[in-house]
Amino acid sequence: MSSGDAMIRVHRRDDFPDGLQSPDVYFTPAYGRAASAADGGEWILLEAFDGAWQMPLIVRTLCADAKDAISPTYSGVYASPSLSASQVQQAWSATIARLRELGIISVLLRHSPLVPQAADLPGLRSIIRGHPTIVLEPADSDSAWSGMKSQCRNQIRKALKSGYTAEVRQAASQDLAPFSDFRRLYEETMRRLDAASSYFLSDSYYVEFFDGLGPSLLIGEVRNSAGDVVNSTLLIRHAQRLHYHLLGSNPDDARMGTTNLMVWTATQYAITQGLHQFHLGGGRGGISPRDSLFRFKHTFGGRELECAISGLIINDDLYQAHTQK
């Protein structure tokens, strides 16, 4: 790694350099393909110091003279612990200069609780801090089972006693096709929760998601005694980490413990694959981060980490002009 001045390189999904290691899946062009389809922009990665500094962004055009950018979820600004404080500041100054060259007037950063984040960055404004998220670090099945709350174990027992079965396997293209079991259950769940329109993902999102992630994309399914899929979950594997991504379920079956069984089956998959972490995520967000979804995930034990969101205004005059329209 060079010890000189930081040189910020801009990588796009079609010219991503071979051998550049991503600290997590949310920094990869594979995930960026889907994120750009969902957020309506172009994915880029700002990188320096041979990958020790990375900031992925979805860049969106506001008008002819201005763009804004948002980072994919759980990414933010990765800074390897190998970087000195002066190198971090060099990289940050060079990053702002490059963003200005690209015509980006503001950036929203959704920081990762799982990989090292650059700290004490001048001009970065805190928007949200302290939002909880759950990560499991199961060493073996016995410790993972005993680490769960008793009501969680009881729900898993109920599901198994009622004849439900579960598996995790590599996803196939038909699993994400319109009217697939996953799409049907997920979309029904979002409608039941009166979710925002952004949670209803397009066909192009699923195509990019599958094409980008390939063998890293897994699907978990719970079936009832008749063989019908009543719970379907998308999971993402990256290096030694498993991420819980999207889930859809039948509410009547969920009351029988099928979602507990699904998460437990994915936990066992992580253990058998030798993965170090299973990131469950947090709640639905909003004004109550410790909502029912977060409390459900908390019953599986694990560690509670904190997520943060911050913002950067690069061109204040243009930013004010666009936000006041």
Side-chain angles (χ1 to χ4, degrees):
M1 182 179 67
S2 171
S3 60
D5 292 340
M7 181 179 74
I8 299 297
R9 290 169 286 272
V10 179
H11 305 298
R12 291 173 169 81
R13 68 182 230 186
D14 295 327
D15 62 4
F16 195 77
D18 293 337
L20 181 62
Q21 298 297 309
S22 301
D24 204 351
V25 68
Y26 303 110
F27 291 78
T28 65
Y31 187 85
R33 292 177 64 155
S36 59
D39 290 323
E42 179 195 12
W43 180 89
I44 63 172
L45 177 75
L46 278 64
E47 175 265 327
F49 293 120
D50 301 324
W53 173 275
Q54 297 187 35
M55 188 169 91
L57 294 172
I58 308 299
V59 179
R60 305 174 294 193
T61 299
L62 301 173
C63 64
D65 63 347
K67 302 172 183 177
D68 72 354
I70 183 171
S71 70
T73 184
Y74 300 126
S75 58
V77 184
Y78 167 69
S80 167
S82 64
L83 294 177
S84 67
S86 63
Q87 286 175 318
V88 168
Q89 294 306 317
Q90 288 173 22
W92 182 238
S93 296
T95 294
I96 292 175
R98 182 53 64 93
L99 291 169
R100 190 174 286 113
E101 291 172 4
L102 293 169
I104 297 171
I105 64 173
S106 65
V107 177
L108 184 73
L109 295 172
R110 297 183 282 188
H111 296 278
S112 171
L114 300 167
V115 303
Q117 295 285 294
D120 302 322
L121 299 177
L124 205 58
R125 306 179 185 184
S126 175
I127 297 173
I128 293 174
R129 63 176 61 182
H131 269 226
T133 186
I134 297 293
V135 61
L136 308 182
E137 296 170 318
D140 53 64
S141 291
D142 289 342
S143 62
W145 181 261
S146 62
M148 292 187 292
K149 296 185 183 300
S150 59
Q151 66 264 36
C152 186
R153 293 193 295 266
N154 289 339
Q155 286 292 95
I156 296 169
R157 293 188 186 103
K158 180 197 289 187
L160 291 171
K161 186 177 180 180
S162 301
Y164 294 97
T165 58
E167 69 167 342
V168 172
R169 58 176 173 81
Q170 186 174 323
S173 59
Q174 60 265 30
D175 291 319
L176 277 69
F179 311 110
S180 64
D181 288 324
F182 169 76
R183 293 279 296 272
R184 172 180 56 82
L185 288 166
Y186 174 73
E187 289 161 15
E188 286 174 358
T189 299
M190 293 303 100
R191 284 191 289 270
R192 191 167 64 249
L193 295 173
D194 195 24
S197 59
S198 58
Y199 286 91
F200 292 87
L201 302 164
S202 66
D203 291 343
S204 62
Y205 170 88
Y206 289 110
V207 170
E208 295 285 9
F209 197 60
F210 179 80
D211 289 348
L213 290 168
S216 298
L217 182 61
L218 308 172
I219 190 165
E221 292 178 325
V222 177
R223 295 177 182 270
N224 62 17
S225 57
D228 303 316
V229 177
V230 297
N231 181 298
S232 189
T233 304
L234 293 183
L235 304 158
I236 307 170
R237 178 176 179 171
H238 181 85
Q240 297 300 306
R241 186 177 292 128
L242 185 67
H243 292 280
Y244 177 105
H245 187 56
L246 299 174
L247 176 143
S249 63
N250 182 309
D252 292 333
D253 296 283
R255 284 188 280 270
M256 299 300 292
T258 55
T259 306
N260 299 74
L261 178 59
M262 183 69 265
V263 177
W264 170 240
T265 302
T267 303
Q268 291 181 299
Y269 172 88
I271 293 167
T272 60
Q273 294 292 310
L275 306 184
H276 297 160
Q277 291 183 322
F278 179 18
H279 182 218
L280 297 182
R284 298 183 185 90
I287 61 174
S288 179
R290 295 179 180 273
D291 58 15
S292 59
L293 178 58
F294 173 80
R295 293 193 298 272
F296 167 76
K297 293 176 180 179
H298 199 268
T299 65
F300 289 89
R303 284 197 298 139
E304 183 176 321
L305 305 178
E306 291 187 349
C307 297
I309 297 176
S310 60
L312 172 69
I313 298 175
I314 300 165
N315 186 318
D316 190 68
D317 290 341
L318 283 176
Y319 178 81
Q320 294 298 330
H322 281 280
T323 55
Q324 292 173 7
K325 285 183 179 179

